[in-house]
Amino acid sequence: MRLRWRELFTSKVAAEAHWGRWDFVALGLAVFAVIWVYVLKLKTFYALGYTSDLFVSVQAARSWLEGPGLLQDNCFGNLLVSHTYFLLLPLGFIAKPFGAPGLLFLLAASVGAAYFWATRILRLLGVNGPVAVVAPAVILATPLSVAFYQEPGFGFHVEVLAPALCLVLFYFLLQQRMIPSIVTALAVISVKEDAPIAAAMVATVAGVETWISSAGKRPWCRLNRPAAITLLLSVSAIPLLLTISWSQSPTMYARHSVDRLGLVAPVSLSSPGALFAFVASNIAHWLGSSAVRQWLWIMIVGSFGTVLLRPYYLVVGVLTTIVAWLMNRNDLLWTPRFFSTEALLWCITLVGFASLARAAQHSSKWTRIAALTTTIAIAAWSISAQLALVPHAYWAYRLGPASFYSPQERQQADELFARYRREGKPEEPVVASTWLFRYAHDRNLFWLDRMHGRPAPIWILGDSADTYTPLRISSDTINPGSGIRIEDYTLIDRRGRFVLLRKKK
């Protein structure tokens, strides 16, 4: 009994997990997950379920391949002013030829990668093949994970790739492979200016699990040196990335990230040092905030309670809430805020599952049956609690596209804007209502509420009943703040609520 209880609170980290038939099963299921997710994402894309940020990512990813420069788009301008999205740069090789569907495929591929590497991690932690295949599938199918990858409304942010990269990093750190760990850590850090927090969380978990799994050895032999190096890289990367962003000149539509914080007035923080000083002087406010309280509940239900086997991770893990607290928008569960917590949840849940599985191996048959029954009950409770946190995940379980338009309206839009797709040229500027971006040639797609200093569009794709007023366009009205004169345009055709206009020659 003593051995079983001890197994619950420790890890057994192997130097290598040899391939077996269950690993091939996991690989096959990972490929199936990629196809499944991609089909669902494409269905929503073609059902007009995505807007804005997906197309910002497409433009920013390939801008350096087309001339405008690094991380340039037609919405914000210089995206580097706000975020250090350096991982978008290599994604440009996919975004340039394939556009938005290419980025959606990368998202689907990251889902499959997360599943596969999670199975490899469990194998490394001493879990047998069947459990290693099933457990990550359960985690991936939970409402929190589904909502994270679902990204309703936007479809894609580069942060959605971070958990998969973090799991690869976790695997290499558990193996204590220095070069692969550093390379993968740099990939994680390149996601965004606060992504080093995610890398640091993974390094912390790997370092602690390695330490407690090698009890009895000398301290130097217990130290996970790649994890220590990754932690140092992460800590040093945050001020560096903030400095890079701060060195960029703000534009009308792109402000420095610290100037968009909800807790302080714009321009009140003059440097990264001032930001760190503000956080240090408001630690009590941060730890007592609603963001931290919500996060604690998320960590419990999101890990199926396994975080209680290692509650010390809650002490360091609270760092993943710092951006949500600073923004003060009650959006902790939004993918760009949640990705660090999602990565931490994966790591904690995997080591917790591994501990439970190993402990069960040393138990009697009836004890294993009781443990399995308890696990199913906890899983059901956890999934129910998660669904209450992210009710919009329900749409993903229905396997149907989340769209604001009826099938008849989508058919009308397809028929109308097919003419634009035939006659419009990629180099001709175009603006569109909120949910019609999919039809536009995205290279010269512009945002109607951000037209200052931008060329007048040749084409206008309008929705006269758009719920977002600044992007509502009819045959005779348009956002006056855009500077566009509707009388300069000819109505080409109209279908229901949709209109197609072209600039007069």
Side-chain angles (χ1 to χ4, degrees), residues 163-187:
L165 290 172
C166 285
L167 287 174
V168 178
L169 174 61
F170 193 38
Y171 180 79
F172 289 139
L173 289 176
L174 289 175
Q175 289 186 315
Q176 301 192 53
R177 296 169 62 183
M178 181 66 77
I179 300 303
S181 295
I182 292 176
V183 171
T184 312
L186 291 175

Side-chain angles (χ1 to χ4, degrees), residues 63-122:
S63 63
W64 68 284
L65 297 172
E66 297 180 337
L70 292 179
L71 300 177
Q72 301 289 320
D73 65 75
N74 296 333
C75 181
F76 300 100
N78 183 6
L79 196 58
L80 195 56
V81 173
S82 302
H83 299 299
T84 55
Y85 284 147
F86 290 122
L87 188 62
L88 278 177
L89 299 179
L91 303 190
F93 292 110
I94 301 295
K96 181 176 173 60
F98 301 110
L103 293 187
L104 295 178
F105 175 78
L106 290 175
L107 182 151
S110 76
V111 175
Y115 170 78
F116 176 74
W117 286 100
T119 64
R120 293 295 294 163
I121 290 167
L122 287 178

Side-chain angles (χ1 to χ4, degrees), residues 60 87 97 114 128 130 165 239 259 273 277 283 302 399 411 442 468 486 500:
L87 188 62
N128 61 38
L165 290 172
D259 291 333
I283 288 180
L399 306 181
Q411 182 179 357
D442 49 39
Y468 183 57
I486 199 68
L500 174 63

